[in-house]
Amino acid sequence: MVETQGAAPARAAGGRHPRGLLTLWSVEMWERFSFYGMRAILVLFLAAPVSDGGLGLAPHVAAAVFGVYGALVNLLALPGGWLADRLWGSHRAVVRGGIVITAGHTVLAVPAGAASAYPGLLLVAVGTGLLKPGISTMVGRLYDAEDGGGRDGPGSSARRDAGFSLFYMGISLGAFAAPLVTGFLGERVDWHAGFGAAAVGMLVGLLVCVRGRGRLPGSLAEPVRALPAADVRRAVLAGGGAVGFLAAVFALAVLWGQSPTQAAIQAVTLLTIAVPVVYFTVMFRAAGLDAVDRSRLGAYVWIFLAASVFWMIAEQGGSLISLFARDHVDRTLFGWEFPTSWFQSLGPLYSIVLATAFAALWLRLGERQPSTAAKFALGLLGLGLATLIMAGAGWSAADGRVTPLWLIVAFLVQIMAEMCLSPTGLSVTTRLAPSRFAHQIMSLWFLSVALGSALSSQVVRLTVIWSPGTYFAVLGAAALVCAAAVALARKRLRRLMRGVT
């Protein structure tokens, strides 16, 4: 199935994939194994009693830490992508990111409580920010190299799309297997054994990346670049401003009487809100944008906000729903209680099964498929229904533990909702972007995930005053209200999008 490196472009167009695709597929699979493996047990470790090896955080604080970690991962993809594009090149950024991630998981594997947990999480977030933007770029450049740098032609386009489908299958496989391994080790052996397994997974991916470099085209071995002095100054100012902002908010929160953990949560949340505000302000004030570009940018503001609400609720599947499963779900199977974290494999499993079906559905519908606004409304509607199912589970659990079928169905509906919204959001982002902001506006899509994760760290405080059933019911109702708002505004959005559907 793979193609040899020295083959001519004509042969590459015959349907086989570049030889380097298997290398990048393996790297991404193992990196996702490490990422989702650690993520599956993170909130459980944070909330576990100190006597059981955890940090002993209150459930809402553990969920908030989980949220700001997710925000940092997506927020740090911005400087990571900048470093890959402007300084190191994709391959060096991926290798260095893998080294930092491995170091982070290794630190997490050290049983030193908060002294190792928080530095380890920060290292993983930084490393993922370096690795995440570069590796997808490398997949695209594999096909650019074999097509002679061109991207036209139905055969080339179809082969490229098929290659990305295979690549993302690696993501789903790694994400599916990870909770099964790290969850068993973390919950049944030792939390730090689970984090250690994540470190081993990333180390394997890193070794594959280094040893498989010969399978990658020479275009990926970019020389280290020397940045102009003006770019260096701008980067230093932006980085210094972000660090200064975090430090100032953290200090004020501590002086206000909050704990260091809560202060850090507030600082990251406010920074995550500030960054997209600055991005949009700069783009709207840029000289040279015509009326069409400004109108489309205005439409994207609403798309960004709708996506942020979606991720604010959806990202709690790895935090509050995991804690709910620990405390309120009967996990006994043939007399054996399976680990709580195994529920985190449901999402990737459904993605593997449903991704092809949804892609085929949109192709079959062709011009009759729903518009972007309609798909967003369907996504928010599905998410609202999934969250209301969790509300039913919460109310049923008031009398004891509930069947895992509640979570199995809720995750299925949520993933179907995500299939409507997430690929559509990525696609419309590229189509609405003014040409001069093509890369920056793609960064904004990932910032919507960051903002949603950060907002979830604030919303989870409501679990202190509301029961699980009431909490999930309010979130579900909020998602339904947003779905209705998007559906009612679809004609206005269509006008703002100026021909983009």
Side-chain angles (χ1 to χ4, degrees):
M1 180 179 177
V2 294
E3 184 62 49
T4 58
Q5 186 179 357
R11 184 183 174 197
R16 297 186 178 184
H17 293 283
R19 186 183 178 195
L21 182 62
L22 180 60
T23 297
L24 297 180
W25 183 92
S26 301
V27 173
E28 183 69 354
M29 183 191 70
W30 283 109
E31 189 275 329
R32 293 291 89 181
F33 176 93
S34 73
F35 180 83
Y36 283 101
M38 184 274 287
R39 188 177 184 267
I41 60 175
L42 176 58
V43 74
L44 300 172
F45 162 71
L46 294 172
V50 175
S51 59
D52 293 338
L55 292 193
L57 300 181
H60 72 283
V61 178
V65 172
F66 183 94
V68 296
Y69 165 73
L72 276 176
V73 166
N74 288 280
L75 194 62
L76 290 170
L78 298 181
W82 186 87
L83 287 169
D85 285 341
R86 306 293 297 276
L87 187 62
W88 293 338
S90 298
H91 189 268
R92 287 186 182 88
V94 168
V95 170
R96 291 170 184 178
I99 292 171
V100 177
I101 292 171
T102 304
H105 287 310
T106 303
V107 172
L108 280 165
V110 176
S116 62
Y118 294 134
L121 286 176
L122 182 58
L123 285 171
V124 174
V126 170
T128 305
L130 289 173
L131 184 145
K132 189 175 180 179
I135 195 160
S136 296
T137 302
M138 290 169 73
V139 175
R141 289 183 181 175
L142 287 176
Y143 293 89
D144 291 345
E146 290 203 348
D147 298 336
R151 300 186 183 183
D152 297 327
S156 173
S157 176
R159 197 168 62 95
R160 181 188 296 265
D161 290 347
F164 269 100
S165 296
L166 290 172
F167 177 70
Y168 287 114
M169 185 65 73
I171 295 175
S172 297
L173 286 174
F176 168 73
L180 302 179
V181 177
T182 63
F184 179 82
L185 290 173
E187 294 185 58
R188 294 293 186 266
V189 180
D190 183 84
W191 297 114
H192 303 285
F195 294 134
V200 171
M202 187 63 253
L203 182 60
V204 172
L206 184 60
L207 292 175
V208 170
C209 185
V210 174
R211 290 179 61 86
R213 184 173 183 175
R215 296 183 177 184
L216 304 176
S219 61
L220 293 181
E222 307 100 328
V224 176
R225 304 180 180 103
L227 288 178
D231 287 352
V232 174
R233 284 195 299 271
R234 281 194 292 268
V236 171
L237 286 173
V243 172
F245 182 90
L246 285 171
V249 175
F250 179 85
L252 288 173
V254 170
L255 290 174
W256 194 261
Q258 294 192 352
S259 69
T261 299
Q262 289 282 14
I265 291 169
Q266 306 310 323
V268 173
T269 299
L270 288 177
L271 178 65
T272 309
I273 294 171
V275 170
V277 169
V278 171
Y279 256 79
F280 277 118
T281 300
V282 169
M283 284 191 283
F284 271 115
R285 297 181 63 182
L289 286 185
D290 58 27
V292 172
D293 283 339
R294 292 187 184 278
S295 180
R296 288 176 175 173
L297 196 56
Y300 192 73
V301 171
W302 296 107
I303 289 172
F304 176 88
L305 292 174
S308 297
V309 171
F310 183 93
W311 297 120
M312 178 189 72
I313 300 173
E315 283 297 290
Q316 295 184 40
S319 56
L320 283 183
I321 291 182
S322 189
L323 292 172
F324 178 86
R326 181 195 66 177
D327 298 333
H328 301 293
V329 175
D330 181 6
R331 293 177 280 111
T332 303
L333 184 65
F334 303 117
W336 177 70
E337 188 177 63
F338 61 87
T340 302
S341 51
W342 282 16
F343 283 110
Q344 298 304 310
S345 287
L346 287 174
L349 176 63
Y350 291 144
S351 295
I352 293 171
V353 174
L354 294 174
T356 303
F358 269 81
L361 174 64
W362 302 139
L363 285 174
R364 184 176 181 83
L365 289 174
E367 294 183 356
R368 295 180 291 113
Q369 67 179 281
S371 65
T372 293
K375 287 180 181 178
F376 263 65
L378 287 172
L380 287 162
L381 172 64
L383 181 64
L385 294 176
T387 311
L388 289 178
I389 291 171
M390 285 304 307
W395 285 320
S396 299
D399 298 325
R401 290 183 177 264
V402 298
T403 171
L405 287 175
W406 286 100
L407 270 67
I408 292 172
V409 175
F411 273 116
L412 174 61
V413 177
Q414 178 175 318
I415 293 301
M416 294 175 67
E418 190 171 325
M419 291 291 173
C420 291
L421 184 140
S422 184
T424 303
L426 282 168
S427 176
V428 78
T429 296
T430 62
R431 289 181 284 132
L432 286 177
S435 57
R436 63 186 295 186
F437 293 128
H439 292 92
Q440 289 94 322
I441 205 167
M442 181 55 73
S443 299
L444 277 169
W445 174 253
F446 294 107
L447 277 177
S448 73
V449 185
L451 180 57
S453 297
L455 292 176
S456 74
S457 70
Q458 304 299 316
V459 173
V460 294
R461 294 181 177 188
L462 296 173
T463 58
V464 176
I465 57 176
W466 289 341
S467 69
T470 302
Y471 177 80
F472 288 125
V474 171
L475 283 189
L480 294 180
V481 169
C482 288
V486 172
L488 291 173
R490 65 186 185 280
K491 291 183 179 179
R492 175 172 174 77
L493 275 173
R494 189 180 299 119
R495 289 195 297 270
L496 288 173
M497 291 166 73
R498 300 292 186 96
V500 174
T501 59

